[in-house]
Amino acid sequence: MKDWNPANLGIIIALLVLLGLNAVVIINPGQAGVLSILGKARDGALLEGIHFKAPFVSRVDIYDLTVQKFEVPAQSSTKDLQDLTARFAINFRLDATEVVEVRRKQGSLQNIVSKIIAPQTQESFKIAASRRTVEEAITQREVLKSDFDDALSKRLEKYGIIVLDTSVVDLDFSPEFAQAVEEKQIAEQRAQRAVYVAREAEQEALAEVNRAKGKAEAQRLLAETLKDQGGKLVLQKEAIEAWRKGGSQMPRVLISGSGKDNGQVPFLFNVNADSKG
C-alpha cells in the first residue's frame, strides 16, 4: 500500500468508463445496426434500443432505414430505335431484415447507390423503353413509368432495397425527333383547320338551300293568293313595281275604279303631267 498512488484511481476509473462505453451501442429509431466481431458480420440486425458488444474487438455499423432519395440518369433506345434519355428521382429505404446482407455484400450506402441502384435503374429503363416507340413513351409517360417501377422494384428487392416511389424528373429525345414532332403537330393543326372550314362551308350551303326553299314556298303562297283574287292583285302589284322602278319620288296620282270586287283594272292618272299641258 506504500506504493499506492491516488492518481492511479483516476486512471482506473477512466479505463472502466472507456470500457463501458465501448461495450454499449444505442440504436435510434429509424436505424439498424450490424454487429461485426473481428471483422466478421454476425447474423441478426440490431434494432432500436441499447445493445452490448465485446469491447475493442467488435464494431457496429449503423444503417439509416428512413426514406432515401437519389436522382439517377438513364439512357435507352425505343422500339423504333430512337434515343431516349431520362433522369429518375428514386425514393427507397433499406429492409431492416436484410441489412446484414447489405453490409456483407455492398458495405456503405454510397456503394448501394453506385453499384446497385444506378445500374439496375439503367436496365429497368431499357426494359420499359423498348416496349414502345418514342412517341408512345412521350404521350404515355405514366405507362412508361409503371413498367419502369415494376422492373426496378423486382430487381432491387433481392438486394434488400424497397422502392417506395419514383418520378420522371426529365425525359429527352433527339433533336431530329423533336423537329419531326413539331412538324407533325403543325400538319395536324392545318388538317383540323381544313375540316373546320369544310364544315363551315357545308353549313353555309345548307343555310342557302333552306333560304331558297323558304323563298320558293313564299312565292308559291303568293301565286296561290293572287290566283284566288282573279288576277286583280297581279295588275296592282305590277303597277306598284313599275312605279318603284321609275324613281324614288312619290307621284301625285288619282286612282279610280268602279267597285271593290268587280275585277276592273285601277286607273292611274298623273296630276302633275296633266296640269302642265
Side-chain angles (χ1 to χ4, degrees):
M1 298 295 293
K2 290 182 180 181
D3 296 333
W4 174 255
N5 188 344
N8 293 337
L9 180 61
I11 295 175
I12 294 173
I13 293 174
L15 290 174
L16 291 174
V17 170
L18 180 61
L19 185 65
L21 292 176
N22 197 263
V24 175
V25 62
I26 298 176
I27 306 297
N28 296 315
Q31 294 179 336
V34 178
L35 175 63
S36 298
I37 299 177
L38 297 176
K40 184 178 181 179
R42 302 292 297 271
D43 293 334
L46 304 179
L47 303 181
E48 60 180 272
I50 299 176
H51 300 271
F52 295 95
K53 64 185 182 68
F56 305 115
V57 295
S58 64
R59 61 171 291 178
V60 175
D61 295 293
I62 298 177
Y63 290 84
D64 192 347
L65 299 182
T66 59
V67 178
Q68 306 292 321
K69 180 180 179 180
F70 286 90
E71 289 191 8
V72 183
Q75 184 175 1
S76 178
S77 295
T78 58
K79 187 168 64 176
D80 53 349
L81 302 180
Q82 294 288 335
D83 292 333
L84 192 64
T85 59
R87 177 173 290 273
F88 292 93
I90 301 174
N91 295 334
F92 68 93
R93 66 177 180 84
L94 299 179
D95 186 348
T97 63
E98 298 291 334
V99 291
V100 175
E101 289 301 314
V102 171
R103 170 66 181 83
R104 286 171 176 167
K105 296 178 180 179
Q106 308 306 329
S108 64
L109 182 62
Q110 288 73 19
N111 286 343
I112 293 172
V113 174
S114 62
K115 295 182 179 180
I116 301 298
I117 295 179
Q120 295 302 331
T121 296
Q122 176 67 43
E123 292 302 315
S124 300
F125 182 56
K126 287 182 179 179
I127 293 174
S130 63
R131 294 176 178 175
R132 50 190 51 83
T133 65
V134 63
E135 184 176 358
E136 291 171 343
I138 296 170
T139 58
Q140 302 174 12
R141 181 176 294 195
E142 288 302 319
V143 181
L144 175 71
K145 177 181 176 299
S146 178
D147 290 345
F148 170 79
D149 289 349
D150 292 342
L152 185 64
S153 297
K154 292 177 181 178
R155 286 173 170 267
L156 294 184
E157 184 179 4
K158 60 184 179 182
Y159 295 101
I161 303 171
I162 301 173
V163 178
L164 302 177
D165 186 35
T166 66
S167 58
V168 183
V169 179
D170 195 15
L171 188 66
D172 291 324
F173 37 87
S174 64
E176 293 79 10
F177 181 76
Q179 183 178 359
V181 170
E182 183 178 358
E183 291 174 354
K184 180 179 179 181
Q185 291 177 343
I186 293 174
E188 289 178 349
Q189 291 175 355
R190 289 176 177 172
Q192 292 175 356
R193 174 62 181 170
V195 171
Y196 172 77
V197 171
R199 289 179 178 175
E200 190 177 46
E202 181 180 355
Q203 293 176 354
E204 180 62 25
L206 182 61
E208 287 291 340
V209 171
N210 291 333
R211 283 194 290 267
K213 289 181 178 178
K215 187 176 180 180
E217 180 65 16
Q219 291 176 345
R220 185 186 66 80
L221 294 175
L222 178 60
E224 290 182 355
T225 302
L226 294 175
K227 182 179 179 181
D228 292 341
Q229 295 295 328
K232 180 177 65 175
L233 293 180
V234 174
L235 298 176
Q236 293 178 348
K237 182 175 181 297
E238 290 179 352
I240 294 172
E241 290 297 330
W243 165 72
R244 286 178 177 174
K245 292 178 181 179
S248 60
Q249 296 296 324
M250 179 68 73
R252 296 180 181 180
V253 298
L254 293 177
I255 302 175
S256 64
S258 60
K260 293 183 179 180
D261 300 317
N262 55 8
Q264 293 184 2
V265 178
F267 178 72
L268 302 180
F269 179 78
N270 192 327
V271 176
N272 290 334
D274 249 6
S275 60
K276 288 179 182 180

